[in-house]
């Protein structure tokens, strides 16, 4: 049976989608919808794709959840590419947008086109659908989608089996490679995309996933070259695979072979080093105009050659999903542990996959507890990779990262660099590695994973402390901190005590009574320091001290000190008494974040970074 409309929607939107389908059917339109169980899995079944092929138009119920479902994207891509092959990528797609904004809609062509809102009269939508269907004499399956592309050199560069997110980046990459059909792109431009981001962020995986999903757009083949491998050997292998034999230059033979085929193809150069001159990079691009070029790199300046596609950190929800996808069987608390790992290192896929790899043998909770420990460097491979990448910036580059990290997660104002000497060249090199980025025109920031690596894997801890102290002193000046020496000294004393207490450092086994007693002593010690500073301390140190005592320590101690005492008393007579130790360990673990926040605020007052490496 042929369908007029294929209704594409995600499971969470079943109710409004069914109402929409009923209205369309009432108007005499034949509507297909998956009524069995919409996209219960990540991929679309053959049955669903067959029904899409029998449909003339795809109507997407494009909610916030829609772009997060891989199956929905497969359906949209199929219809979009069918229209593109007919000369108009919007020919086979209409959108219903139930949200207030349009930023979630990809690709940009769909934002630029007219879309429909459920708040509008359904009559107008059904009339638009009817007009659109009448313009389409054939089904989506009747459009020649071409064959799956040939990968050279073989084998194909496969994306991760459970690729997560990146919907916006995939569509931006597609628009960059087809500038003639991107309605918001001025003047067409060259089909060159520069996919860039900090090392380990997933630029190669993004391009491989793009080639997998959009491969039918490139019937002439996907040519994947590695910038680090011998260039002439790779060109020769491609030329021979294309049947271009002879004694001429390999690039010329490839160009002649592509010219003879005259089919769109994709030319990928993976891992282009940062810092090359543009003429050198230009020579890496496709030797023939029928092949669109993609470069993956850390250096965003190469975007001058075409269109830049920056790859940011994953949003928190997608980053958590990436971690949990690596766990075969979820244990209690794994979702919370994954959330805290993402809080610590951000949405950096390389770091998160390293942590998930360690969790396969030790468990997510154990990895989370040891993330800040030097005894078990669970991020060792990520740290080595990032430190190797910044090596070109030299000692000055490390000093810049130390200073910026002292401000993280806040941006560091550029004038702070004045105290580090001539570091302009180092900043430029770090920026070309995407390790630091300029924000707001006057400040630098680093990704969360870079801050974590610098705090916990700095090759020169003494220099780290020195630069961090100088940066914190500059921050006090910037924030106009009127702190006297008594306050600074008191803040430092409490800071040191906190940095060496159990909730900040891993508890390990046993020691619950000692942990409670330790926190009691911190409460008393902080109160004594506040008393010695006098009444004026309420302006700076006093605010932090009061928050520590009244908002962090007192609620915890008032609940758990008597609970533990009752348990200890009862076990002398009753072996079945309620055992609170597991809950107490969890409560101590939850206390870590607020105590670290207090350490951060105390370090800004004292001007000393002691203990901030645990942040």
């Amino acid at each position: 049976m042929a369908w007029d409309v294929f209704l594409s929607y995600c499971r969470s939107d079943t109710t409004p989608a069914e109402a929409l389908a009923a209205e369309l059917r009432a108007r005499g339109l034949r509507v297909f919808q998956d009524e069995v169980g919409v996209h219960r899995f990540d991929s679309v079944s053959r049955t669903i794709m067959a029904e899409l092929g029998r449909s003339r138009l795809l109507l997407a119920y494009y909610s916030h959840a829609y772009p997060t479902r891989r199956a929905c994207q497969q359906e949209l891509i199929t219809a979009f590419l069918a229209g593109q092959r007919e000369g108009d990528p919007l020919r086979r797609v209409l959108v219903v947008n139930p949200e207030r904004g349009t930023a979630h809609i990809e690709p940009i062509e769909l934002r630029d086109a007219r879309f429909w809102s459920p708040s509008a009269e359904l009559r107008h939508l059904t009339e638009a659908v009817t007009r659109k269907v009448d313009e389409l004499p054939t089904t989506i399956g009747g459009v020649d989608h071409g064959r799956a592309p040939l990968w050279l050199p073989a084998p194909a560069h496969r994306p991760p089996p459970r690729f997560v997110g990146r919907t916006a980046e995939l569509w931006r990459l597609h628009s960059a490679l087809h500038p003639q059909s991107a309605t918001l792109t001025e003047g067409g431009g060259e089909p060159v995309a520069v996919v860039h981001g900090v090392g380990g962020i997933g630029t190669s995986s993004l391009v491989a996933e793009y080639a997998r999903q959009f491969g039918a757009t490139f019937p002439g083949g996907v040519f994947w070259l590695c910038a680090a491998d011998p260039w002439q050997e790779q060109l020769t292998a491609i030329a021979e695979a294309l049947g271009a034999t002879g004694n001429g230059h390999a690039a010329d033979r490839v160009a002649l072979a592509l010219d003879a085929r005259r089919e769109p193809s994709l030319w990928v150069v993976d891992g282009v080093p940062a810092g090359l001159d543009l003429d050198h990079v230009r020579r890496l691009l496709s030797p023939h105009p029928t092949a669109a070029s993609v470069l993956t790199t850390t250096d965003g300046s190469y975007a001058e050659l075409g269109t830049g596609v920056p790859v940011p950190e994953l949003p928190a929800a997608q980053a958590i999903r990436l971690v949990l996808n690596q766990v075969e069987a979820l244990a209690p608390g794994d979702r919370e542990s994954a959330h805290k790992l993402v809080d610590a290192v951000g949405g950096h896929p390389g770091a998160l996959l390293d942590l998930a790899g360690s969790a396969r043998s030790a468990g997510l909770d154990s990895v989370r507890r040891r993330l800040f420990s030097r005894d078990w460097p669970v991020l060792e491979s990520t740290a080595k990779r990032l430190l190797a990448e910044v090596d070109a910036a030299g000692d000055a580059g490390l000093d810049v990262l130390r200073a910026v990290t002292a401000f993280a997660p806040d941006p560091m104002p550029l004038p702070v660099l004045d105290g580090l000497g001539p570091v302009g060249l180092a900043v430029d090199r770090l920026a070309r590695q995407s390790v630091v980025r300029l924000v707001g025109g006057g400040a630098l920031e680093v990704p969360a994973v870079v801050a974590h690596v610098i705090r916990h894997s700095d090759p020169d801890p003494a220099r780290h402390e020195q630069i961090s102290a100088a940066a914190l002193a500059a921050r006090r000046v910037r924030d106009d901190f009127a702190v006297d020496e008594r306050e600074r000294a008191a803040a430092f004393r409490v800071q040191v005590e906190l940095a060496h207490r159990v909730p900040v450092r891993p508890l390990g086994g046993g020691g619950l009574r000692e942990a409670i007693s330790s926190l009691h002593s911190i409460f008393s010690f902080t109160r004594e320091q506040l008393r010695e500073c006098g009444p004026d301390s309420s302006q700076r140190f006093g605010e932090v001290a009061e928050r520590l005592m009244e908002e962090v320590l007192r609620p915890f101690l008032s609940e758990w000190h008597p609970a533990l005492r009752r348990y200890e008393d009862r076990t002398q007579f009753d072996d079945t008494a309620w055992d609170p130790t597991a809950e107490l360990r969890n409560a101590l673990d939850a206390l870590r974040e607020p105590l670290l926040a207090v350490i951060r605020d105390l370090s800004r007052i004292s001007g000393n970074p002691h203990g901030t490496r645990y942040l």
Side-chain angles (χ1 to χ4, degrees), residues 4-273:
D4 295 317
V5 178
F6 182 99
L7 185 56
S8 178
Y9 60 100
C10 64
R11 192 187 217 172
S12 59
D13 298 320
T14 298
T15 299
E18 288 179 342
L20 179 59
E23 185 68 23
L24 293 173
R25 291 185 182 114
R27 299 281 178 169
L29 293 169
R30 293 165 296 177
V31 180
F32 174 84
Q33 65 179 123
D34 179 9
E35 297 175 341
V36 177
V38 181
H39 307 326
R40 291 179 179 174
F41 307 101
D42 281 340
S43 60
V44 185
S45 70
R46 292 182 179 179
T47 300
I48 299 301
M49 292 304 289
E51 299 302 336
L52 176 60
R54 296 187 184 101
S55 306
R56 290 197 274 178
L57 178 72
L58 180 137
L59 180 61
Y61 192 87
Y62 215 120
S63 66
H64 280 309
Y66 188 87
T68 69
R69 301 298 295 159
R70 197 173 188 181
C72 293
Q73 290 301 305
Q74 286 181 282
E75 295 166 357
L76 176 61
I77 288 169
T78 300
F80 185 90
L81 295 184
Q84 184 168 283
R85 292 183 74 84
E86 293 177 300
D88 179 6
L90 305 182
R91 177 175 168 84
R92 298 280 179 171
V93 178
L94 276 180
V95 169
V96 174
N97 178 22
E99 314 296 350
R100 298 186 66 176
T102 61
H104 65 294
I105 297 178
E106 297 289 350
I108 56 175
E109 290 92 334
L110 292 181
R111 288 188 222 166
D112 197 36
R114 184 176 183 182
F115 54 83
W116 302 90
S117 168
S119 61
E121 287 190 39
L122 279 176
R123 175 176 59 84
H124 297 308
L125 172 60
T126 55
E127 289 174 356
V129 172
T130 302
R131 287 195 302 270
K132 193 84 167 177
V133 168
D134 289 342
E135 297 171 0
L136 300 171
T138 62
T139 63
I140 292 173
V143 179
D144 179 14
H145 289 274
R147 62 182 183 275
L150 176 70
W151 281 72
L152 295 173
H157 191 95
R158 301 295 183 188
R162 291 187 173 184
F163 188 84
V164 173
R166 303 299 194 202
T167 298
E169 288 77 20
L170 286 168
W171 282 112
R172 287 169 192 156
L173 175 56
H174 185 71
S175 296
L177 296 176
H178 298 81
Q180 71 282 356
S181 63
T183 58
L184 297 185
T185 302
E186 297 181 2
E190 293 295 321
V192 176
V194 178
V195 182
H196 59 93
V198 66
I201 201 67
T203 54
S204 301
S205 296
L206 174 71
V207 177
E209 177 70 6
Y210 172 77
R212 187 191 71 79
Q213 292 198 37
F214 292 81
T217 312
F218 305 103
V222 176
F223 306 102
W224 193 286
L225 301 93
C226 180
D229 292 342
W231 189 250
Q232 291 302 318
E233 291 182 16
Q234 295 180 84
L235 291 178
T236 299
I238 292 174
E240 292 176 353
L242 291 174
T245 58
N247 298 322
H249 193 279
D252 294 336
R253 287 189 282 143
V254 170
L256 290 171
L258 293 176
D259 187 71
R261 294 160 71 97
R262 287 285 171 176
E263 291 183 307
S265 55
L266 185 64
W267 184 270
V268 181
V269 184
D270 190 24
V272 179

